[in-house]
Amino acid sequence: MAKGWTGSREFFLGSDGFDPQARLKRDVHSGSEGRHPSLHILFVHSNAAEVERCLQELDKVHFTVSAEIVVTPRGFSERLGSHAYDLVVAELTSPDWRETQALELLHRSKRQIPLIFVGGILQRETVAEFITRGAYDCIEMGRIGHLPVAVRRALQEKTLREERDRAKNGLRHSEARYRALAGNLSYGICRCDRDGKFLEVNEAMVKMLGYASREELMAVNLASGLIQDLAKRAQLLGQPDQQGSVDPSK
């Protein structure tokens, strides 16, 4: 196996001059200023020189890149199943690939990774079709200087999507908790803040404590109105005792 250097990247080339599982790793210099967090890219590409051009453009705007290359659909699927990537950059017309096969395999993997196609001269209709099918962007190699802008936008949108998904999951969890709280007729359940103010109570709790309505109970301060024992109150609310400590085991 031959080994060669180009700038700060290290290429590993097979006996045929190109290893389908090639790794390209840019050294991260300590003290580098203005660099983005490390970006892990999977290239689906048969031309190492064009991959190098892409990396050079990203380097110009201070992206620190760790990149891997695959050239076959099988290799692409295997990498998606075993590694985490921030971005996929795929050759638009690659040997042994159908036009949008990379997109199809990415969708099948259930991985939410932005995919950018790069290639020769692109017709508007082709670009529109690929984006409709799920590609983030399509960039001509003659205009590869646009790649860093597309990458930055793709990463920003990916972050926003992940934050939105986390918010949705949190809302679903909150709704499920509320349904369980409101619908439980066997146990009195409440939620309060650290000062003892009720935030939520269910009907069973209202009846157990002898109040006429949920609103009437919600107006009561749990700490001062219901729990007279100071030590028990502090223990229940997770407040420090007179020595300033909390024992969660009690």
Side-chain angles (χ1 to χ4, degrees):
M1 178 177 288
K3 180 176 177 180
W5 289 88
T6 302
S8 61
R9 291 183 213 94
E10 188 175 10
F11 291 84
F12 291 90
L13 305 178
S15 57
D16 59 353
F18 191 78
D19 182 355
Q21 306 300 330
R23 285 176 176 267
L24 304 88
K25 193 126 182 176
R26 175 181 299 284
D27 294 335
V28 181
H29 300 288
S30 59
S32 295
E33 297 181 358
R35 301 199 71 85
H36 295 277
S38 181
L39 180 63
H40 198 183
I41 302 179
L42 180 61
F43 282 90
V44 182
H45 215 295
S46 62
N47 189 318
E50 292 191 355
V51 172
E52 168 65 14
R53 286 184 60 193
C54 294
L55 292 173
Q56 287 175 350
E57 294 300 327
L58 293 172
D59 185 55
K60 289 178 183 178
V61 294
H62 309 299
F63 275 104
T64 299
V65 178
S66 173
E68 298 174 23
I69 304 174
V70 293
V71 296
T72 65
R74 179 178 178 181
F76 183 53
S77 295
E78 289 176 350
R79 286 303 175 93
L80 289 177
S82 60
H83 294 73
Y85 299 96
D86 300 301
L87 184 73
V88 173
V89 177
E91 187 178 13
L92 188 57
T93 54
S94 185
D96 302 321
W97 287 78
R98 297 192 308 275
E99 277 189 335
T100 58
Q101 190 173 3
L103 272 176
E104 295 167 12
L105 294 174
L106 183 57
H107 292 160
R108 196 177 303 168
S109 74
K110 307 297 184 182
R111 304 290 293 276
Q112 299 296 318
I113 308 173
L115 185 149
I116 296 175
F117 279 112
V118 295
I121 298 176
L122 305 176
Q123 300 297 324
R124 288 185 179 180
E125 295 78 7
T126 301
V127 172
E129 178 185 357
F130 285 8
I131 291 178
T132 299
R133 294 189 183 187
Y136 182 80
D137 207 344
C138 298
I139 300 174
E140 296 179 356
M141 286 303 301
R143 299 179 178 178
I144 201 61
H146 295 172
L147 179 62
V149 175
V151 169
R152 188 178 290 110
R153 288 203 314 264
L155 296 177
Q156 289 172 345
E157 291 188 17
K158 180 172 180 278
T159 298
L160 290 174
R161 183 174 61 248
E162 290 172 347
E163 291 175 350
R164 182 191 61 203
D165 290 344
R166 283 194 295 270
K168 285 183 177 179
N169 289 335
L171 180 59
R172 282 195 293 267
H173 177 73
S174 179
E175 290 174 344
R177 184 181 61 189
Y178 179 78
R179 286 194 297 271
L181 175 65
N184 194 316
L185 302 179
S186 301
Y187 299 93
I189 302 174
C190 68
R191 186 168 69 90
C192 62
D193 61 20
R194 290 179 64 87
D195 295 323
K197 178 179 175 55
F198 281 115
L199 300 176
E200 295 178 47
V201 296
N202 69 346
E203 288 300 322
M205 185 80 167
V206 174
K207 293 177 181 178
M208 289 173 61
L209 294 177
Y211 284 84
S213 68
R214 179 174 175 273
E215 289 72 23
E216 185 180 348
L217 177 56
M218 290 283 288
V220 176
N221 183 284
L222 174 65
S224 61
L226 298 178
I227 304 176
Q228 303 301 320
D229 187 301
L230 297 180
K232 290 294 184 182
R233 181 192 303 174
Q235 179 183 333
L236 181 63
L237 298 176
Q239 296 174 339
D241 57 23
Q242 294 180 349
Q243 285 72 41
S245 62
V246 174
D247 184 355
S249 66
K250 293 184 179 179

